[in-house]
Amino acid sequence: MKGAHTDTLLAQALGWLEETTGGVAPSIQVATTYVRDPAMPSSEGLWYSRPDNPCYWQVEALLAELEHGEAAMVTGSGSASMAMVFEALSTGDHVLMPHYAYGGVHYLINDMANAWGIEIDVYQTGDLDDMARLVRPGQTKVVWVETPSNPEMVIVDLEAAARIAHGVDAKLVVDATFAPPPICRPLDHGADVVLHSGTKFLNGHSDVVCGTIATRVKDDFWQRLDRMRMRSGAMLGPFETWLLLRGLRTLHLRMEQAQASAQKIAEFLEGHVDVGRVFYPGLASHPTHDLAKRQMSGFGAMVSFDVTGSMEDALKVWGGTRIFKNATSLGGPESLVEHRKSSDGYESPVPPNQLRLSVGLEDADDLIADLDAALTGKPTNRPQARATKIAQGLGWTSRDHKAVVLPVHMASTYATDPATYGKPYAYARDQNPTYEQPEALIADLEGGFEARLFASGMAAVSAVFQCLKAGDHVVIQDTLYWAIRGLMKQVVEGWGIEVTWAPTGDLEALRRAVRKGETRIVWLETPANPTMAVTDIAAATAIVREAGALSVVDNTFATPLLTRPLELSADFVMHSATKYLNGHSDVVAGVLVARVETPFWDQIRHIRHMTGAILGPFEAWLLMRGMRTLEIRVARACRNAMAIAQHLDGHEAVDLVLYPGLTASNDHDVSARQMSGGFGGMLSIRIRGGEAAAQRVWARFKLFKIATSLGGVESLVEHRATVEGPESPVPDDLLRLSVGVEHIDDLIGDLDQALQAA
């Protein structure tokens, strides 16, 4: 992906495909050892998984590309990365450390490095004169910089620091955890090695402990670091490596949102009567603001401030927040607040009245209201915004340990009291606690009474029709996901259920198709797949209700962020959660949501219990993880799709762009009434020149992956008539695009070069 923007590199994870199958998500390689040919030289091939796990390759290549370095590695934790730098030194070597820095590095110095005979001097953070005074020619091996510094957000002039370090043949090692790429790239400013606690912003989901190291050049010092990882065994597990890569694919979106909120919060705090100093490099008042503007492309999502008064006053504020979680660490989707003096434990230089904020993906106004209530002692009744609910997963924490990420419950059965057998759990077919948080969040987003997860979107669809009996009548729109058509013709009609197909979006035709007192279910899909036709849900459900039937709306394309069918009187909503809800092309799942509790909904719950089409606990946990970035993913996909639709509208190789956001669309008016926040990330184009031209264009895509499905972080393209087969009603000149979260210029560039084949 040479020349691609950072957004694209992240979204597509360099565009690598799983080598065995071509999957757009990598496999998890769990083997600890590998079969070898006895004739193979010991320096070649895979040997043992401590240094050789293939899971490392993609994420390390991506990190090296992001940092503009020659190589990178992942380690078992941020502390492991720091320790390896000291482990690569020798007795008598000298290291310069900053006065303000992550508390853990001070423990490392005092508990280990000093015992190894490594000499340490401490300079005032950001004071280059002090740094220059303390370096020792011929003895100083490492000058350590943390920028922005923890917790006072001092920005260090990296080019000047590099000159000082290199002047005595020392390495400049930078901890850039607070400012991940692309916000800051220390290697571009002369640093030799850059470290991250990947636990924080790089992973971004508060569920992996890991570290990273990247180097400007693969020199002898890098080789020593590489050997230290193998010899000291500070490895990252394959599953954690896989999760880290998954988290990296939304790094650009997460940082964009978190930084914007951090700026608003810092400006609010700066004017608050109960706040003294505010430490945020995006404020003009910050001592290193001008340097931050030169050295960084953003100011990060970390903010510190001094509460007016004593330590006791700060502790009251610390304990008074409700949305900001009182927890250590940083960089996750949920916002955190810490009293660092308490957390550091050692003789910390942090003022006792100072609090540190890690700003997440919640609604900025919610976060400001929460801080104001804690500072003033006046509680707020402000209802939480949707972005806050999504980022925090409704704010749930684990019952036992108060973890901000709930555990994966793997048990298949539960020990219970005989007096209350089965309550709340008896058997895990459909009583797994891992389901509860994602089901509650989806129900809340849709404005429904309750949600139920299924093993796939088609399992959710099937459950609706499994509730019917022979002789029942259903009406289904004629343009929709092709597998539902196959289910009706090959399965449901065989149960003796009569199916009537109605023209999509035609309300009068719908009125003629339903039979008062006879029709049980009317199935709607909007926008329709793949023509993007939009049905007026409120008008359609009024017709359905008048006939005494129940309406089900497939809301997969729109998501509850853009359309809420239950608020338009639909009875049920279905999603293939494989798509936007999960959003990472690595979970197959479905969900049904009910507007109110009814006997039919009771029957659906019973069907799931009896037929066993349930989602695995790990998949439910991953779905919940994916939904924490739903707001920012859908917003970017909508913006990208609109830009593409406008670019292709009138393109010489395109006969028609099918996208409800275009004012020329036949359905634009109803779409504008029914959808809010965007028109979705899906669009179709009809290629001038017919099927042959469409096939030629389809084959030329490079950035858009030629793959089925939709709604992931990576953009996909399909020739739907080929995918659906000879009975498909889809025009053979149509290509369907699932627009991801890459940089728009890269996407348009790929479309333009592909369309040259038309």
Side-chain angles (χ1 to χ4, degrees), residues 535-543 545 568-569 674:
T535 298
D536 186 329
I537 296 173
T541 55
I543 294 169
R545 193 166 54 252
L568 300 171
S569 296
Q674 190 167 278

Side-chain angles (χ1 to χ4, degrees), residues 115-137:
W116 299 336
I118 296 169
E119 297 184 33
I120 309 290
D121 275 320
V122 175
Y123 66 92
Q124 293 296 313
T125 303
D127 188 335
L128 298 173
D129 291 336
D130 198 30
M131 182 187 292
R133 180 179 63 83
L134 291 170
V135 292
R136 304 176 189 176

Side-chain angles (χ1 to χ4, degrees), residues 515-520 543-550:
R515 304 172 188 169
K516 193 167 185 175
E518 295 182 30
T519 303
R520 296 289 310 282
I543 294 169
V544 175
R545 193 166 54 252
E546 184 180 356
L550 296 171

Side-chain angles (χ1 to χ4, degrees), residues 473-478 493 497-502 509 512-515 519 521:
H473 176 246
V474 299
V475 177
I476 301 178
Q477 68 183 58
D478 62 359
E493 288 181 343
I497 296 168
E498 184 181 357
V499 178
T500 297
W501 299 89
R512 291 192 297 271
V514 295
R515 304 172 188 169
T519 303
I521 294 291

Side-chain angles (χ1 to χ4, degrees), residues 563-629:
T563 304
R564 288 160 65 94
L566 301 182
E567 293 183 351
L568 300 171
S569 296
D571 295 292
F572 304 100
V573 164
M574 193 284 295
H575 288 270
S576 173
T578 309
K579 314 305 193 294
Y580 286 103
L581 294 185
N582 177 61
H584 289 76
S585 302
D586 53 17
V587 169
V588 174
V591 66
L592 285 169
V593 189
R595 179 165 54 86
V596 295
E597 186 168 22
T598 62
F600 195 86
W601 180 246
D602 290 339
Q603 181 69 0
I604 285 175
R605 290 186 294 200
H606 182 66
I607 287 291
R608 187 181 76 161
H609 175 72
M610 296 307 298
T611 62
I614 60 165
L615 192 62
F618 175 53
E619 287 72 24
W621 184 87
L622 277 180
L623 171 60
M624 185 62 235
R625 188 187 204 254
M627 284 196 293
R628 291 189 185 244
T629 57

Side-chain angles (χ1 to χ4, degrees), residues 297-450:
S297 63
F299 301 113
M302 301 298 297
V303 180
S304 294
F305 65 99
D306 292 344
V307 176
T308 301
S310 65
M311 179 172 172
E312 288 68 29
D313 295 307
L315 293 176
K316 287 179 183 176
V317 176
W318 185 35
T321 59
R322 294 293 175 267
I323 295 177
F324 279 90
K325 298 285 183 276
N326 301 323
T328 195
S329 196
L330 55 107
E334 64 289 307
S335 294
L336 306 177
V337 58
E338 257 197 307
H339 183 251
R340 285 303 301 174
K341 188 75 172 181
S342 299
S343 299
D344 281 351
Y346 71 104
E347 291 300 317
S348 171
V350 178
N353 63 331
Q354 189 174 106
L355 299 178
R356 190 191 73 182
L357 307 177
S358 171
V359 179
L361 306 180
E362 302 93 342
D363 179 84
D365 291 336
D366 280 355
L367 295 173
I368 287 171
D370 189 42
L371 287 169
D372 188 49
L375 285 162
T376 62
K378 299 174 182 176
T380 175
N381 293 322
R382 173 188 173 90
Q384 286 189 2
R386 182 183 66 195
T388 301
K389 294 177 180 179
I390 290 173
Q392 294 216 347
L394 298 177
W396 289 24
T397 58
S398 67
R399 299 184 186 105
D400 294 338
H401 309 106
K402 297 301 179 186
V404 298
V405 175
L406 271 61
V408 186
H409 293 272
M410 299 300 295
S412 62
T413 192
Y414 309 92
T416 64
D417 187 325
T420 57
Y421 180 77
K423 296 180 181 179
Y425 308 109
Y427 185 60
R429 190 189 316 121
D430 66 346
Q431 289 184 312
N432 194 305
T434 312
Y435 301 159
E436 293 168 4
Q437 187 182 20
E439 287 179 341
L441 178 58
I442 293 168
D444 188 275
L445 293 177
E446 288 287 5
F449 159 72
E450 194 172 60

